[in-house]
Amino acid sequence: MAHPTRLVVVFGGRSAEHEISCISARHVMSALDPERYQVIPVGITRDGRWVDARRLILDAGPATAALPSPDLASAGDVLPAVGLPEVIGEEGRTVVVPLVHGPMGEDGTVQGLLELAQLPYVGAGVLASSVCMDKSAAKEILLFHGVPQCRWRSARIDEVIPAFLDEAEAVLGYPIFVKPANLGSSIGISHVSDREALEVAVGVAAQYDDFLVLEEAVAGREVEVALLGNDDPEASLPGEVVSEDGFYDYEEKYVSDRAKLLIPAPLSDTEVATVQGIAIRAFRALRVEGMARVDFFYDAQRRFLVNEVNTIPGFTPISMYPKLWEASGVPTAELLDRLVALALERHERRRAHRFVR
Ligand SMILES: Nc1ncnc2c1ncn2[C@@H]1O[C@H](COP(=O)(O)OP(=O)(O)O)[C@@H](O)[C@H]1O
Ligand SMILES: [Mg+2]
């Protein structure tokens, strides 16, 4: 082989999931075949500086479960503004692997930068990334495509007048989930049971975004499907998250081990086929490419309702996305090879489109 493909793994970032990203990036880097890939880690600090993380990671040694936070990089390794060209040489092929969860990473911002830099990258493009990060926009598109969801209402904050809340209460019934449209990691989300708490929850969500979503509380199971592909994605076996109190929050996801993952989820073949089919419809409707984890509620009426689509799912050794593929016969090293190939395929296809100057 002439030159190995250069993979720029971007990790860290400004969201609450900074540390998760460091663990995901370590897992990805350890799984990559060193014969095929030359890996260049690029970190984003919590305050948004980009750093060449090669020295930092070398100094930390190979044995750590997480990469060291880019926050710890020395001043000499700070890259100018958005410094990808500095770490990318001239020779050979480069693919960027954005592993930054949440706002300023998963939401199309980094993807837009990579489009401008004309670099192939793994995962959803600009539009799908930003739409999937916005719970309100994603719901509107899924509704248009007839993808099943729970009952919901969304509004711009200045539209949240008493009449809006009256109608939402009547349609959704208590309890109600109140969420900022943007964000993740359960931040700014409340679960309320009366009008007074609803009004407080609206104020909380409004601290995070100008748009918010109100949802009926679905009593049911939480099922997740991993997708891989561009136009014609494949769906993994579904997995299930069993949380203790029915609210799979940040603490449960990342801190305690109270949430248990069942892989594969105990579902019949028909149920598996149904949920996989809906996951693929959601993926295509939202124009996702590369990868996504589609999260569902499975309610008492045995309906699979899409909750959300995550375009940069966790990639830690205990994360659902890589584990579901493993259970479906795709080990992480092969999964990464396929994601890189999908990135290149998309890049070439888009380059072939006519571009009006
Ligand atoms: N409408 C709902 N009905 C029941 N549980 C919900 C609902 N919305 C959220 N939850 C619970 O809260 C968790 C986090 O909500 P989610 O919308 O997935 O936010 P995030 O983007 O932060 O992951 C879900 O995994 C689920 O446990
Ligand atoms: Mg979620």
Side-chain angles (χ1 to χ4, degrees):
M1 191 184 302
H3 284 288
T5 303
R6 189 182 298 105
L7 288 189
V8 178
V9 174
V10 182
F11 71 102
R14 298 171 66 181
S15 82
E17 287 153 302
H18 181 96
E19 283 155 54
I20 303 310
S21 168
C22 295
I23 306 174
S24 292
R26 167 64 85 199
H27 184 51
V28 164
M29 283 174 60
S30 327
L32 287 168
D33 179 354
E35 301 272 303
R36 300 187 60 166
Y37 302 109
Q38 178 207 350
V39 180
I40 304 181
V42 168
I44 303 178
T45 63
R46 285 189 173 81
D47 57 10
R49 283 169 306 137
W50 288 55
V51 301
D52 178 345
R54 279 177 285 193
R55 190 179 352 207
L56 179 70
I57 290 170
L58 213 59
D59 291 350
T64 56
L67 295 184
S69 165
D71 293 359
L72 304 170
S74 59
D77 288 334
V78 173
L79 297 165
V82 172
L84 284 180
E86 286 72 13
V87 298
I88 296 172
E90 290 292 305
E91 294 279 297
R93 192 160 67 174
T94 299
V95 176
V96 180
V97 187
L99 284 178
V100 182
H101 310 298
M104 301 292 166
E106 190 171 346
D107 61 353
T109 49
V110 167
Q111 291 74 14
L113 174 83
L114 297 171
E115 292 286 346
L116 290 172
Q118 301 187 52
L119 286 167
Y121 56 93
V122 165
V126 175
L127 178 69
S129 299
S130 51
V131 167
C132 289
M133 182 56 50
D134 189 296
K135 292 180 194 296
S136 171
K139 280 183 154 56
E140 288 172 8
I141 290 176
L142 292 177
L143 174 67
F144 182 85
H145 288 267
V147 174
Q149 305 181 77
C150 71
R151 280 176 295 195
W152 57 278
R153 287 292 181 269
S154 73
R156 196 185 283 259
I157 193 66
D158 63 8
E159 296 161 354
V160 183
I161 53 172
F164 170 81
L165 293 180
D166 292 346
E167 199 261 351
E169 270 178 335
V171 172
L172 309 177
Y174 286 108
I176 291 175
F177 274 85
V178 183
K179 309 178 179 181
N182 253 286
L183 233 65
S185 322
S186 305
I187 296 169
I189 297 184
S190 313
H191 177 227
V192 300
S193 297
D194 57 51
R195 178 65 170 248
E196 198 184 331
L198 177 62
E199 286 170 11
V200 173
V202 166
V204 170
Q207 291 172 14
Y208 297 96
D209 196 5
D210 297 338
F211 289 80
L212 45 89
V213 173
L214 273 51
E215 294 173 15
E216 69 171 308
V218 181
R221 296 160 63 183
E222 290 192 61
V223 172
E224 306 186 344
V225 178
L227 295 189
L228 176 65
N230 285 338
D231 297 346
D232 186 17
E234 268 177 59
S236 73
L237 288 171
E240 181 166 352
V241 183
V242 184
S243 55
E244 243 167 29
D245 54 4
F247 183 25
Y248 185 34
D249 62 10
Y250 185 82
E251 158 45 50
E252 249 183 1
K253 261 181 227 171
Y254 305 125
V255 187
S256 75
D257 60 355
R258 279 180 294 130
K260 297 274 172 288
L261 305 189
L262 307 180
I263 298 171
L267 295 168
S268 72
D269 291 351
T270 320
E271 288 168 320
V272 169
T274 303
V275 73
Q276 287 175 328
I278 301 172
I280 290 170
R281 277 169 58 204
F283 185 99
R284 285 179 53 90
L286 294 164
R287 305 201 211 168
V288 183
E289 291 166 301
M291 63 179 172
R293 196 191 72 228
V294 183
D295 296 351
F296 291 86
F297 302 120
Y298 189 37
D299 76 358
Q301 287 86 55
R302 317 189 105 214
R303 293 177 306 175
F304 288 102
L305 308 170
V306 172
N307 172 31
E308 60 168 343
V309 177
N310 295 280
T311 52
I312 305 192
F315 241 105
T316 76
I318 57 160
S319 293
M320 197 59 117
Y321 188 82
K323 288 214 139 236
L324 286 177
W325 281 117
E326 230 172 79
S328 309
V330 186
T332 302
E334 185 187 328
L335 176 60
L336 294 167
D337 290 344
R338 288 178 63 179
L339 286 168
V340 169
L342 288 164
L344 289 166
E345 189 271 324
R346 185 242 325 256
H347 188 70
E348 291 308 317
R349 182 163 34 84
R350 292 202 30 179
R351 272 200 344 186
H353 284 158
R354 289 180 66 174
F355 190 79
V356 181
R357 291 186 183 83

